[in-house]
Amino acid sequence: MSLSCGVECVLLVGCSRWAWKRCTYIGSDDSSSWPLATPEEFEPIPRVCRLILAVYESDLNHPQYSPPGGYRVKPEWVVKRVTYEQTQGHAPPYLIYADHDNHEIVLAIRGLNLVKESDYKLLLDNRLGMQMFDGGYVHHGLLKSATWLLAQESETLERLWVDNGRCYRMVFAGHSLGSGVAALLTVIVVNHRDRLGDVPRSLVSCYALAPARCMSLNLAVKYADVIHSVILQDDFLPRTPTPLEDIFKSIFCLPCLLFGVCLRDTFIPEGRKLRDPRRLFAPGRMYHIVERKFCRCGRYPPEVRTAIPVDGRFEQIVLSCNATSDHGIIWIEREADKALQRMKEMSSETRTTAPKIQKLERLQTIEKEHKDALERAVSLKIPHATTDIEDKEESSLEKSAEACQDEIEDASQSKSAETGRETSWDEVVKKLYKRNESGKLLLKSDTDAPK
């Protein structure tokens, strides 16, 4: 009798401890050890969010659902808008935009439409281990959609890139369902750059907002240099490793389903999850927008943490009343814009001193993080993981890409000078100092100094 009572007490204490840890687990725990993102690398994300929101508008000249501050999109720069009638269920609606201010060609794809049967068919067209691609597993339906979209728009994108001097960045962006299409479209483009006029890999990028799990872990890490996933606090979709059809079959009892999934996935060993090559993950580098804290009411000034995680890659669903609302593109745009403004304000407070992290050093850090993540994947024996990334670009293309980047940076600097914005530290040095024959910096005379 006493033995059975002791066993019951141990079970009760153990279950209570597990329930407490599980119920107090919050979204910010996923990225608690990650470093903060810089305003330079996060700057395109609010702009991309507004472009995705613009896909929902039927007439950008007379918008009906514009976010605070408007879309900040010039309708005359919209190259093409494609609706459900034109895609015929092969892909969600999308928009092609030539952003001449930021030297970007953007293809923005909208998210899941809950009243469109074609979107459900696209999302549910997958089974565990159904589709292999580039040495890993991907979502079958999303890959078909990405292939169709590239076949339809490759000529348009190539023409835009060539007509603009082969210097513009090629940006693919999407939300929810569209994020999976955009991510796999980016993987195809990187492996078949000849379809877009041999665009260099360094000029290709993807922003997946509230991303669906669409590729295996080795691919998610391999393409972390070109794919960037943005997750708002407790968003449930990037944390849902089960077949997505389970969610939409039980959409009216989502909290109960999430709790059951939470119980099951919590007891699956971490190593077993990582070593299953068929298991899909959210793609690329992660940007986690954190705005809430445990046992505190309301939203706090958001901060953005970034990393290329291998193990602990948003594996646990958060039992939160915000798990579904954080998935909305409207909230992502709003909080991303707040986070960017906060980062700029914090960086401007020390503008009078030399920046602690130079831009070149930050780029080297990002490259090192990617290399470390690849090595970490190999050390964890992730199936098909490798530290070698195939680079089929010729040196001439790399040089032209570097020249284009310099040209874009010079244009942006001249634009900031024309609009009266604060100049960067390098500009200040160039204006106030000159080099003598020995290369030493000398202060210019008062007559030579800029006014």
Side-chain angles (χ1 to χ4, degrees):
M1 185 69 178
S2 59
L3 179 62
S4 61
C5 290
V7 172
E8 290 177 1
C9 290
V10 171
L11 289 175
L12 179 61
V13 171
C15 292
S16 300
R17 180 178 178 274
W18 175 87
W20 170 255
K21 291 181 65 177
R22 198 64 196 82
C23 294
T24 57
Y25 187 86
I26 58 176
S28 60
D29 292 342
D30 289 312
S31 59
S32 57
S33 60
W34 297 4
L36 296 177
T38 61
E40 291 78 17
E41 59 183 307
F42 193 74
E43 186 271 335
I45 292 174
R47 184 171 69 247
V48 165
C49 290
R50 290 189 290 269
L51 270 174
I52 295 174
L53 280 170
V55 183
Y56 292 78
E57 295 283 357
S58 58
D59 185 3
L60 285 175
N61 291 305
H62 303 90
Q64 298 180 357
Y65 314 105
S66 60
Y71 292 108
R72 307 171 207 178
V73 171
K74 296 182 180 180
E76 62 271 18
W77 288 354
V78 175
V79 178
K80 190 174 184 180
R81 292 186 75 258
V82 179
T83 62
Y84 277 109
E85 289 73 18
Q86 294 168 297
T87 62
Q88 298 180 351
H90 294 287
Y94 58 90
L95 177 148
I96 300 178
Y97 183 73
D99 189 346
H100 300 294
D101 287 338
N102 298 287
H103 299 84
E104 293 176 346
I105 300 169
V106 185
L107 193 155
I109 310 172
R110 66 158 287 168
L112 176 73
N113 189 336
L114 293 176
V115 299
K116 282 291 181 179
E117 183 182 355
S118 59
D119 282 5
Y120 288 100
K121 289 183 178 179
L122 183 63
L123 192 61
L124 303 183
D125 184 14
N126 187 62
R127 295 189 308 273
L128 195 63
M130 181 178 182
Q131 178 70 58
M132 283 202 72
F133 181 75
D134 192 28
Y137 287 89
V138 297
H139 190 285
H140 179 257
L142 297 180
L143 181 65
K144 282 177 57 180
S145 179
T147 305
W148 179 88
L149 204 157
L150 182 61
Q152 295 293 315
E153 304 299 342
S154 59
E155 293 183 2
T156 303
L157 295 174
E158 180 181 4
R159 175 177 55 81
L160 287 172
W161 190 66
V162 172
D163 291 348
N164 288 283
R166 298 177 178 267
C167 288
Y168 279 28
R169 286 184 288 270
M170 192 72 67
V171 179
F172 304 101
H175 167 251
S176 187
L177 173 67
S179 68
V181 177
L184 294 179
L185 177 60
T186 304
V187 173
I188 298 173
V189 168
V190 168
N191 285 276
H192 303 278
R193 292 188 295 274
D194 56 306
R195 295 295 301 272
L196 295 182
D198 291 323
V199 56
R201 179 175 178 141
S202 58
L203 293 183
V204 178
S205 59
C206 170
Y207 295 96
L209 311 177
R213 293 195 167 208
C214 59
M215 61 182 67
S216 56
L217 186 55
N218 65 311
L219 297 180
V221 176
K222 178 181 179 180
Y223 292 99
D225 59 325
V226 292
I227 302 178
H228 313 276
S229 291
V230 182
I231 300 170
L232 177 59
Q233 188 81 21
D234 301 334
D235 188 0
F236 76 95
L237 190 60
R239 297 178 167 92
T240 309
T242 53
L244 292 177
E245 56 265 29
D246 292 347
I247 293 179
F248 296 99
K249 287 177 182 176
S250 307
I251 192 68
F252 298 106
C253 191
L254 186 57
C256 301
L257 175 70
L258 293 181
F259 186 78
V261 171
C262 177
L263 287 174
R264 190 182 73 179
D265 288 340
T266 300
F267 290 104
I268 297 178
E270 182 76 13
R272 180 180 172 187
K273 296 178 185 178
L274 297 178
R275 286 191 292 271
D276 186 356
R278 304 169 301 170
R279 188 180 179 87
L280 304 183
F281 291 82
R285 169 179 285 274
M286 302 288 188
Y287 289 91
H288 193 200
I289 305 174
V290 177
E291 57 174 359
R292 290 186 298 274
K293 301 179 181 179
F294 180 62
C295 289
R296 297 188 184 182
C297 299
R299 296 176 182 265
Y300 286 76
E303 65 178 17
V304 183
R305 306 167 186 170
T306 181
I308 308 176
V310 180
D311 42 346
R313 193 180 179 91
F314 289 90
E315 285 302 297
Q316 298 190 44
I317 294 177
V318 179
L319 301 178
S320 166
C321 58
N322 302 104
T324 53
S325 62
D326 284 346
H327 185 68
I329 181 65
I330 295 177
W331 279 111
I332 296 175
E333 187 276 333
R334 191 172 303 176
E335 298 305 318
D337 192 57
K338 288 181 183 178
L340 179 61
Q341 297 304 322
R342 183 166 179 256
M343 284 190 282
K344 288 182 177 180
E345 291 173 0
M346 293 176 64
S347 62
S348 64
E349 292 177 357
T350 57
R351 187 66 62 87
T352 56
T353 61
K356 296 180 179 179
I357 302 178
Q358 299 289 343
K359 186 175 182 180
L360 181 60
E361 293 179 1
R362 178 55 184 159
L363 290 175
Q364 292 174 344
T365 302
I366 290 176
E367 292 176 358
K368 186 177 184 303
E369 287 179 11
H370 188 207
K371 182 179 179 181
D372 292 343
L374 292 170
E375 293 176 352
R376 174 67 174 165
V378 172
S379 66
L380 291 174
K381 298 181 180 180
I382 305 299
H384 313 297
T386 177
T387 57
D388 297 327
I389 300 179
E390 293 184 4
D391 190 1
K392 301 177 183 178
E393 300 179 54
E394 298 178 358
S395 58
S396 59
L397 288 177
E398 288 291 349
K399 292 179 180 178
S400 64
E402 293 177 1
C404 288
Q405 291 287 6
D406 294 338
E407 181 181 337
I408 292 172
E409 290 177 1
D410 292 340
S412 63
Q413 288 176 2
S414 61
K415 179 184 175 183
S416 64
E418 293 174 359
T419 54
R421 296 178 182 174
E422 295 181 354
T423 55
S424 67
W425 177 258
D426 291 335
E427 287 178 313
V428 173
V429 171
K430 290 179 181 179
K431 289 182 178 180
L432 297 181
Y433 291 85
K434 60 182 180 181
R435 294 186 182 274
N436 60 10
E437 297 178 354
S438 62
K440 184 178 179 181
L441 284 175
L442 298 175
L443 183 65
K444 292 183 179 180
S445 62
D446 293 338
T447 58
D448 294 333
K451 298 181 180 180

